[in-house]
Amino acid sequence: MARGDIFPSEKREFTQPETGVRAIQLTSAACNNVNAYYNYEQFIGDSLVFYSDRSGVRQIYKVEIDSGKIVQLTDAPTDVGNFAAVPDQGRVYYASGDEVRALDVETLAEETVSARLPGCGRPGLEDVSSCGRYLVISARPEQVVAETRPETSFRYGSWNRVVLCDAERGEQAVVYEGPSTEVPVAADSHLFISRDDPSFVWWGSYTRLPPAGFKTAWALECDTDVLAARRHPRPLYNQQPWEFINHYYPAPDAHAEMLLYQYSGYERDGMPLADLWKGFVSRKGEYLGFMLDADLRTGTARRWLFPGQPPLHFQRNRAGDLWAGDTADPGFLWFEGRNDEARRLEEVDPEGCPPLPENHDYHWLGSGAWIGVFKKRGAFLEMRPLVRHGAEWAHVHPHPSFSPDGRWIVYASGDRTQSHVFVAEAVWPRWFA
């Protein structure tokens, strides 16, 4: 198998019986076929770009959704790393060996846009701006790469370099490195660049800086003309000691969105946490889950509560009116359990919330087996099951992501032996039939 090889259609279409939603399985070869991590763009025109190890080495492929035709795009000697598509330019950036490369999906022409920095490990492609010009790249020093991951202590973080690359000029520069004495912040948990304003680079960090909770997020404003930071990074959100944020992604309009958990009990290092939200907790009785939205330009943030189990990963469409997540608890607590503290977040008219049947039992169908969509309802989020994915979570994460036109939601499903790529219609589904 080589770059440019064409494979016949493997697609099959089906309708999810409970919701009436149309879905398409795009791969069926007995191997590992998966979509990109959910924060990356992965559609170009009417095609989806995905990973497959059908050749024995993980390469990048594209599949036409209508025809099902599959084309191999890369022929790297070893497994390719992260990739990100630029839909408007028909281009894919990907990491391979000591380089980050740009690939034209029609001509298959390639060029190197970033090379390994001296004294650092292999570059990791982290994110690409919507215009396709700017990339943010991770460059860990070789000694850090060789060590056991120190950030797993959730205390100090792991030293890293943040590289901003201008693909148009063919230039790159380190815009932040740390943690340092001056700025004890580690850029060690996903690096991003704002989709619409590439002057903002931001990341998650395992560094704990009191009084913030464990795992924090930081924004860095850069001058893209000279590829340099304008000032030190600032906290993306005024995080409290009992709060934990995770699974960040770039939203449209220079916003950042992520999961925010409020715990009541003890965190993993044994620090006692405030007993907030007593009487209004998740099914597990351990935390509350919020969707947190931060404006990178103004530094302001808002949050909305998931009434039931929150998704592990979620993403907003470009229109800004629908989100997709990889668990789909419809939210049993719309009318049950909201105490005065919850109501104080924002006045919510219960009559304006969608009705739920008197018997909620059939809604809890192992929500981890469903892709769901959700919308805002005052201070809360309403979530509906869309399509069953049934992935074996220990080996395959669905990572739902929207197509640029908002028509499709891509997701993966499978187990340790093989996995496949699907798309489902991005609609607001009916309640279960």
Side-chain angles (χ1 to χ4, degrees), residues 249 257-259 290-292 304-307 309-317 320-330 334 371-377 380-386 400 402 409 427-429:
Y249 78 95
E257 291 189 341
M258 64 205 74
L259 286 169
F290 295 84
M291 179 182 77
L292 178 68
W304 291 263
L305 178 64
F306 289 99
Q309 175 180 323
L312 292 184
H313 311 87
F314 63 84
Q315 190 199 66
R316 184 179 115 187
N317 66 5
D321 59 0
L322 191 67
W323 285 256
D326 51 12
T327 61
D329 180 354
W334 265 109
I371 298 295
V373 289
F374 57 94
K375 294 182 177 182
K376 296 174 183 175
R377 291 288 186 265
F380 296 82
L381 296 162
E382 179 191 359
M383 197 160 194
R384 291 190 179 183
L386 185 77
F402 283 96
I409 296 170
V427 297
W428 187 241

Side-chain angles (χ1 to χ4, degrees), residues 40-231:
Y40 294 111
E41 294 281 7
Q42 44 201 298
F43 288 85
I44 291 182
D46 295 326
S47 296
L48 169 72
V49 185
F50 69 100
Y51 295 110
S52 178
D53 63 3
R54 62 188 61 207
S55 68
V57 173
R58 188 173 78 165
Q59 305 288 353
I60 301 174
Y61 296 75
K62 75 169 182 176
V63 54
E64 295 177 357
I65 295 175
D66 290 337
S67 70
K69 183 178 76 171
I70 297 173
V71 180
Q72 184 172 335
L73 300 180
T74 62
D75 193 9
T78 57
D79 289 353
V80 298
N82 292 340
F83 79 78
V86 184
D88 296 338
Q89 299 178 5
R91 192 189 320 169
V92 171
Y93 290 103
Y94 72 97
S96 179
D98 291 339
E99 299 177 335
V100 174
R101 303 183 63 79
L103 167 71
D104 186 299
V105 299
E106 293 300 323
T107 66
L108 302 185
E110 292 189 70
E111 61 178 338
T112 299
V113 294
S114 178
R116 182 172 180 165
L117 293 177
C120 288
R122 290 179 170 179
L125 175 63
E126 299 287 347
D127 204 9
V128 180
S129 62
S130 293
C131 64
R133 177 173 177 176
Y134 298 100
L135 294 76
V136 62
I137 294 166
S138 173
R140 293 180 185 271
E142 289 178 329
Q143 66 270 24
V144 173
V145 175
E147 293 171 359
T148 302
R149 289 171 63 88
E151 72 271 23
T152 54
S153 68
F154 289 86
R155 193 175 293 276
Y156 301 114
S158 178
W159 203 90
N160 195 13
R161 282 188 176 128
V162 180
V163 179
L164 184 60
C165 175
D166 184 336
E168 185 175 295
R169 298 203 312 252
E171 299 176 0
Q172 65 181 19
V174 176
V175 293
Y176 178 77
E177 55 184 299
S180 66
T181 303
E182 289 185 349
V183 187
V185 174
D188 56 7
S189 178
H190 303 300
L191 278 64
F192 304 94
I193 190 165
S194 170
R195 288 288 186 264
D196 307 306
D197 187 348
S199 64
F200 285 99
V201 173
W202 58 286
W203 61 79
S205 176
Y206 284 107
T207 307
R208 177 188 295 146
L209 293 179
F214 58 97
K215 205 165 188 186
T216 54
W218 301 80
L220 180 70
E221 188 174 358
C222 298
D223 185 330
T224 54
D225 291 332
V226 296
L227 301 181
R230 296 184 187 273
R231 54 185 62 87

